[in-house]
Amino acid sequence: MRLRTLLADGALGLRLLHGAGGLDAPVRGVMTTDLRDPSRYLRGGELVLTGLAWWRGPADSEPFVRILARAGVAGLAAGEAELGAVPDDLAAACARHGLPLFAVAQEVAFAEITERVVRQISGHRAGDLAAVVDRHRRLMSAGPGGGGPQAVLDLLGADLDLPAWLLSATGRVVAGSARAALPAPVAARLAAHAMTAAAGGRPGPYRVPPGTEADGEDGDGDGYALFPVPGDGGDPHTAALTGWQLAVRADPRDWPAERLDLMAGVAQLIAADRDRREASRTVQRRLAREILRLLREGAAPAEVAARLRVAGPLLVPGLAEPRWQLVVARVEGRAAAEDGGRVAEALLEELLAAPGTVEGALVAGAADGEAVALVSLPAVPDEGAALRAAAVLAPVRAVLAAGLGPDGRLTLGVSAPVGAADGLRGALEEARHARRVAAARTGAVCGAGHDELASHVLLLPFVPEEVRTAFTARLLDPLRAYDRRHRSELIPTLEAYLEADGSWTRCAARLHLHVNTLRYRIGRIEALTGRDLTRLEDKLDFFLALRLSR
């Protein structure tokens, strides 16, 4: 709307004191202030309403008006209730800076003016947004070359000044406003909020208040609105873990119904584009599933190799003779009640699509509730390029925990890289075993990799709890009891001795003890337990007992 429209509204009773030549200035918002310096709250294009509580004398007008002019506001409306009339020096300052000035009669509330401006602007912007949606629909109808989600986000930012981002379920920014970046901690916070709300069955859009300084935000502004991007159905827990969100930096509470409907339409368009792009990968997925079927059925390595030679160029175009890793994931709890394999597939694909993981990951399917991905790596061995469970899960652990709920779990296993088809079956079993190791740990999101399967630690989670308790008690309880009675340090001494590989000198230096004192303590440990710490078997038993007791 324009200033001329407000002046013509007789119900508002505005009187123009200066600036008839600026009445065609567009009004993009309204702000009420009595601050001497409201610059931090101004974005340009506002009608500023003030009760003049900041005014103490003629010298105050010039700096106040200068701040408004530099911010690019559309005009200033000053109330007469405080001083009885608008000061002449304020009018003179507005004349110098070319800022239209209105007087607001005492009987007119600022709330009436604000409501009039907001209603008018919302109506215009809803129409503008309809045009934006129509333009994007035409772009989308041109096919994948039309620009995809990024096109509509660019239009929202350029035409409506609405910074927007498309977020995956874990907070990965799929596309975003070219005018503003969304920090990773903020994206994770929005994704966690959406997961919690969706898992609770709440329909969108979701309003997320602005964050605090601890979140890397200043706490000001409108916060964010999250519009769910429609998926392929499923219960709320499934949708929470697999759904995308259209995030807009705005407060949707005062939006008219037409604008909310139009934003939902934008989300629908993005969903259609995502489905079209997913369909383009159908052939690759079918080939990967065929290879996985051969591995599960125990096909001969020669048959797997022959199939891989044919499928390889289609699975990973441009990568000659790649190496491979297998990744296995499983989801449990309410999120998996409907179809745990499908949820695991969607989550695994999302995890492997995150920046900084790998290129060429393709989820090959699910069986018995486990999803399996075939990951290609460059042919030249490079430890830095190999996928690691900890690196995949660390950035999304907190977000996933929010969506999994109190009874949900995600466990992940990663194989070592293999360079030939005859190693794929072993890699699959290795990834499955690593996932079982992860499942034996505590926590909602756990992973394990091939690097953990060459250690004795692999065996510990599978020892029955009763056996572990009896084993540790038999070895360590006599030492604990002695430490309690004599306030000694036998347990810490034993740990330090084993960490020093039985070196008296290194152990004594670490504990700041004389070697004779250390020898006395080790002798006391041997006497209480009946073990000999010069024997490898007894050292190993003590080591395992200490590890199991942690």
Side-chain angles (χ1 to χ4, degrees):
M1 70 178 303
R2 303 190 181 277
L3 290 175
R4 190 180 302 281
T5 305
L6 287 174
L7 185 62
D9 191 337
L12 298 180
L14 296 177
R15 301 195 322 276
L16 181 66
L17 301 182
H18 170 77
L23 291 179
D24 286 326
V27 179
R28 298 174 58 190
V30 61
M31 190 193 77
T32 300
T33 184
D34 276 312
L35 296 173
R36 289 176 177 271
D37 181 3
S39 58
R40 64 177 296 187
Y41 303 107
L42 298 173
R43 299 180 181 177
E46 298 93 340
L47 173 65
V48 176
L49 306 176
T50 180
L52 297 174
W54 52 266
W55 190 88
R56 294 292 181 269
D60 294 334
S61 294
E62 172 63 24
F64 181 80
V65 174
R66 184 168 59 248
I67 288 169
L68 300 188
R70 287 178 177 173
V73 304
L76 174 64
E80 296 180 322
E82 181 78 12
L83 303 177
V86 177
D88 292 339
D89 49 272
L90 181 59
C94 287
R96 284 192 296 274
H97 290 277
L99 185 66
L101 174 65
F102 300 89
V104 182
Q106 297 185 26
E107 61 270 17
V108 177
F110 283 176
E112 295 180 47
I113 301 174
T114 301
E115 183 181 354
R116 174 78 170 85
V117 173
V118 169
R119 190 186 313 119
Q120 187 78 10
I121 291 175
S122 296
H124 284 314
R125 285 193 173 176
D128 291 343
L129 185 56
V132 169
V133 172
D134 184 63
R135 286 167 61 190
H136 185 62
R137 185 175 286 110
R138 292 197 300 272
L139 282 174
M140 299 283 284
S141 65
Q150 188 63 54
V152 73
L153 300 187
D154 289 341
L155 289 175
L156 290 175
D159 290 15
L160 299 181
D161 194 26
L162 279 177
W165 303 267
L166 179 60
L167 304 181
S168 72
T170 62
R172 174 173 57 92
V173 178
V174 179
S177 170
R179 299 172 56 188
L182 188 68
V186 178
R189 184 170 70 88
L190 298 182
H193 184 100
M195 274 201 178
T196 303
R202 286 172 47 201
Y206 313 120
R207 178 181 177 269
V208 185
T212 63
E213 291 184 4
D215 303 317
E217 302 176 70
D218 57 14
D220 294 325
D222 297 324
Y224 299 86
L226 300 177
F227 294 85
V229 174
D232 57 357
D235 66 5
H237 302 289
T238 300
L241 288 168
T242 60
W244 285 7
Q245 302 290 328
L246 174 62
V248 180
R249 186 178 291 164
D251 187 341
R253 290 178 296 182
D254 296 326
W255 282 5
E258 295 82 4
R259 192 169 210 195
L260 292 172
D261 289 343
L262 287 167
M263 290 301 292
V266 171
Q268 288 276 5
L269 289 173
I270 292 174
D273 182 71
R274 181 183 63 182
D275 291 344
R276 180 162 50 243
R277 292 171 187 270
E278 286 296 304
S280 68
R281 304 181 70 189
T282 300
V283 173
Q284 289 176 305
R285 286 195 176 95
R286 187 178 299 129
L287 291 171
R289 287 181 178 129
E290 179 63 16
I291 293 170
L292 181 61
R293 182 187 65 80
L294 293 175
L295 295 176
R296 286 188 175 125
E297 293 176 356
E303 184 180 358
V304 177
R307 189 62 56 90
L308 201 55
R309 278 195 299 273
V310 175
L314 295 174
L315 290 173
V316 283
L319 191 59
E321 298 183 356
R323 295 180 304 139
W324 303 94
Q325 277 185 286
L326 273 294
V327 185
V328 174
R330 187 182 188 92
V331 175
E332 299 170 290
R334 283 181 295 172
E338 184 177 323
D339 186 349
R342 186 175 67 85
V343 178
E345 279 188 80
L347 267 183
L348 184 53
E349 191 150 290
E350 164 61 20
L351 292 174
L352 297 179
T357 52
V358 292
E359 296 183 8
L362 193 65
V363 175
D368 300 325
E370 285 186 340
V372 181
L374 196 61
V375 178
S376 62
L377 300 172
V380 178
D382 179 4
E383 284 300 317
L387 197 66
R388 297 188 181 278
V392 172
L393 296 177
V396 297
R397 194 179 301 276
V399 176
L400 287 177
L404 288 165
D407 66 336
R409 294 198 77 200
L410 168 69
T411 50
L412 187 84
V414 181
S415 78
V418 295
D422 58 4
L424 284 177
R425 181 171 176 77
L428 176 59
E429 293 307 317
E430 187 175 55
R432 282 176 167 169
H433 196 61
R435 193 208 63 79
R436 289 193 291 270
V437 171
R441 296 169 177 168
T442 58
V445 180
C446 296
H450 61 91
D451 51 328
E452 300 177 61
L453 302 188
S455 168
H456 64 279
V457 178
L458 163 68
L459 304 174
L460 300 185
F462 301 102
V463 177
E465 181 65 29
E466 297 80 4
V467 175
R468 283 190 281 174
T469 301
F471 178 70
T472 56
R474 186 166 60 252
L475 278 176
L476 301 182
D477 278 2
L479 305 182
R480 292 173 177 144
Y482 188 89
D483 281 346
R484 284 195 300 269
R485 287 197 308 270
H486 300 280
R487 297 183 180 179
S488 55
E489 299 281 334
L490 296 187
I491 292 287
T493 300
L494 177 60
E495 290 178 327
Y497 180 77
L498 295 174
E499 288 173 3
D501 296 325
S503 169
W504 298 102
T505 305
R506 289 204 307 273
C507 182
R510 182 176 300 179
L511 295 175
H512 305 290
L513 295 176
H514 192 278
V515 172
N516 288 341
T517 304
L518 176 61
R519 291 183 183 276
Y520 172 79
R521 289 187 182 179
I522 296 299
R524 184 42 87 192
I525 290 170
E526 292 174 332
L528 290 169
T529 60
R531 299 297 185 108
D532 181 356
L533 278 167
T534 64
R535 298 177 67 245
L536 177 61
E537 295 87 343
D538 288 341
K539 284 181 182 178
L540 181 58
D541 282 349
F542 276 123
F543 179 83
L544 291 174
L546 289 168
R547 180 63 64 94
L548 287 168
S549 67
R550 290 177 180 173

